Amino acid sequence: MNKVDVEWDLLTAEGVTRKERFTSDDPVSELDGPVLAKGCDQVCIDCEAKLVAGVKPTHSLANHLWIGELPWQLKDLTWAEKMMIAKVRHNRCVVRVASGRGKLVANAIMFATPIRKVYDTLPISRDELSEVLAFVFLGSAKPTDAEFVRTPMFVRRQRVKDALDWLKLNHRDYTALEISIANLNDLPEAGIPCGVDWKQTEEGESNLVPEAMSID
């Protein structure tokens, strides 16, 4: 990009970026220089034309599209772990996992709620979680711990804590969040955070859930 003769100050914007904080004592500050993706060394033809004309590109990160690099605390979270750290909830969900022929097949059914819920404390209690999340397991035998690990409902307590700690330090919408140690300690160290409704099926029965299959 050094070969492109443009005014890079067009990609400098206040209130868009934020340096990662590691402790509550670290100041809240922005990244220096143009707002660019980490490692970016090329510019597309459309954006180059805009910059040459002295106009900020519509889809530039400087137009409040910057989200930063994904930290390890938010990587590789299970579906249930993501639900545990979500500050806003606008639906209820039933997750069904079917076991058969050595495979697991999962699908989720969402039910919209008329009023969205914004949480000031996370994670929510297991009692409240049971009101918005249900888990149904279909199989010829009761699910084992090894099978639970393979489902999207598996939760690791430490991963939930690490994610919430990072969000509270670095996400403006989580600044005032209260992290409930009691609710955290009530989560399994590694397991399913809600009740499991086991529906027994016949040995060798297909694990395909009819409602999850497309219809031509």
Side-chain angles (χ1 to χ4, degrees):
M1 289 195 298
N2 293 332
K3 297 180 180 180
V4 182
D5 186 17
V6 299
E7 184 58 59
W8 292 108
D9 286 343
L10 290 170
L11 299 181
T12 301
E14 294 184 2
V16 174
T17 65
R18 183 165 172 166
K19 289 183 179 179
E20 183 176 7
R21 300 171 69 213
F22 299 96
T23 71
S24 57
D25 294 328
D26 294 338
V28 176
S29 58
E30 299 182 27
L31 297 173
D32 299 324
V35 183
L36 298 170
K38 184 177 181 180
C40 178
D41 59 1
Q42 298 184 48
V43 60
C44 70
I45 296 176
D46 291 340
C47 288
E48 180 182 355
K50 291 275 190 178
L51 290 170
V52 170
V55 179
K56 182 184 295 184
T58 303
H59 299 296
S60 68
L61 299 184
N63 273 338
H64 296 273
L65 297 178
W66 182 90
I67 59 174
E69 191 174 7
L70 188 67
W72 68 263
Q73 291 90 338
L74 301 183
K75 289 181 179 179
D76 302 320
L77 295 177
T78 67
W79 185 80
E81 288 168 345
K82 293 176 183 178
M83 288 195 67
M84 300 298 296
I85 65 174
K87 199 170 187 296
V88 179
R89 193 175 314 283
H90 49 77
N91 56 45
R92 297 183 179 186
C93 181
V94 176
V95 175
R96 294 197 295 186
V97 175
S99 173
R101 300 177 183 176
K103 296 181 180 180
L104 295 179
V105 175
N107 76 299
I109 304 173
M110 300 288 189
F111 302 92
T113 54
I115 301 176
R116 69 176 184 174
K117 172 73 173 180
V118 180
Y119 294 105
D120 297 320
T121 301
L122 288 174
I124 61 176
S125 67
R126 296 183 73 170
D127 287 341
E128 188 169 0
L129 181 66
S130 65
E131 296 178 1
V132 297
L133 183 62
F135 182 20
V136 179
F137 189 95
L138 308 176
S140 59
K142 288 185 177 181
T144 64
D145 290 340
E147 287 177 316
F148 280 148
V149 173
R150 297 165 55 197
T151 71
M153 296 297 294
F154 189 69
V155 165
R156 297 155 293 181
R157 182 197 304 161
Q158 188 61 45
R159 289 304 308 270
V160 173
K161 181 181 185 303
D162 290 340
L164 288 174
D165 286 340
W166 189 92
L167 288 168
K168 184 173 176 63
L169 283 173
N170 294 285
H171 196 298
R172 65 186 63 186
D173 292 336
Y174 284 74
T175 302
L177 177 75
E178 178 183 348
I179 299 177
S180 173
I181 301 302
N183 290 348
L184 268 173
N185 290 337
D186 197 32
L187 291 176
E189 185 174 349
I192 306 300
C194 61
V196 181
D197 185 9
W198 172 50
K199 301 292 186 182
Q200 188 171 18
T201 58
E202 295 296 329
E203 185 72 32
E205 186 176 339
S206 172
N207 62 351
L208 296 179
V209 180
E211 291 83 348
M213 300 174 64
S214 61
I215 300 176
D216 294 331

